[in-house]
Amino acid sequence: MKHYIPFLVFLAIFGYGWGQGAEYVKEIVCRLSADEMKGRGYSQGGDSLAADFIASELKRHGTKPYGDSYLQRYPLDIFTIDGVCRLKVDGKELRPYDQFKLKPMRTLTKEWLEKARWRTEKDGIWYIGVVKLGMSVPLTPFDDMKAPYVVEVLDSVGTKPPKKIKADLTVTPRMGYLSQNVCGYIPGETDTMVVFTAHYDHLGMMGDKVCFHGAHDNASGVATVLDIARRYGLSKPHYTLVFCLFSGEEAGLLGSSYMAQHPLFDLKKVRLLVNLDLLCGGSEGFMVVNGKAENTTPFVNRMKARNKERHLLPEIKLRDNAANSDHWWFSKECPAIFIYTLGGRYGDYHSPYDTCDKCGIEDTYEKVLQVILAAIE
Ligand SMILES: [Zn+2]
């Protein structure tokens, strides 16, 4: 028995921590996508609530802040949808999100108008009747401040504009709103860094009642970054490990853009930056955006080799670089990849139904993580 004691102690310290990954990430996804986080948007301080929670996790896992705070504040311009958010068309009350959406005026393109069944204007706001509502996008600033949005209405009344529209819609411009990125690090044996990033913001609220939960997009990526911090927090890793969670992604990669322009660490010392977004799936493997670049290929090859030797995931696909997530700004300065999962379980994209119960992160998490971590060894 004596011989087993050191082994049991080892298991207690390391085996427990590493083995609990799937439960930990699921718990974090559920916390971040709960109603209380207000869709991690900019109404009712959703972004701050999420940032404080993330900072407390980074602290709990033993990471250090840059300076005296885990938060890097920066201003952004954004509109939010506040209050009751009601729309009555010809006496019929419509459900927010399911039957109507508020969209930035800039989305009012020629093609979109051609698809419209009708359009009408009331009190300076355009109402557009459509057969199918488009994707939800945040109300980012628009040059005409008087009419920053249009209302897309699921048309159930026919091809003509409704006779009566009664709207109680409050859209609040928040210019210079102070949001924040959240960063922490674990010093390694060398100051060469591996950086893990994920955006924690989502689409916020549509009025008081409709919450965009954003479990897949991107509580899942944040949970994974926090789990990596948790796993390495008590050790001295070879490379310095940096963990950065951004806001402003949905509004145009704004938090990461600020960070790239005001870096807290030397970007020239970054060996690899791994951005994680949309991690609830994985049954079909994952995609590596910017995985074909000369400076990222050695890392991608390492992931592929690990995947093959351990028979972990069906496929690792590669795509050319694109400005589709936060890795984009950093890819000009250092090797940077963006990973999103393929297949698996998750709720509807950019909808209130992207919830924790629909997120299957626990199904393939350990396999996905084993492949990702091969890149940084
Ligand atoms: Zn998104």
Side-chain angles (χ1 to χ4, degrees), residues 244-265:
C244 282
L245 296 314
F246 303 119
S247 64
E249 196 267 0
E250 302 286 6
L253 316 180
L254 300 178
S256 53
S257 167
Y258 185 87
M259 168 72 82
Q261 286 170 55
H262 305 86
L264 298 170
F265 46 85

Side-chain angles (χ1 to χ4, degrees), residues 60 171 178 201 222 246 258 275 303 333:
R60 189 163 76 87
V171 172
L178 265 195
D201 64 303
V222 175
F246 303 119
Y258 185 87
N275 179 54
M303 288 195 283
E333 310 283 336

Side-chain angles (χ1 to χ4, degrees), residues 59-60 81 112 157 164 191 246 264 274 342 350 355 369:
K59 189 174 180 194
R60 189 163 76 87
I81 305 167
W112 196 40
V157 285
K164 255 170 76 185
D191 63 356
F246 303 119
L264 298 170
V274 183
L342 302 168
H350 279 212
T355 48
L369 192 68

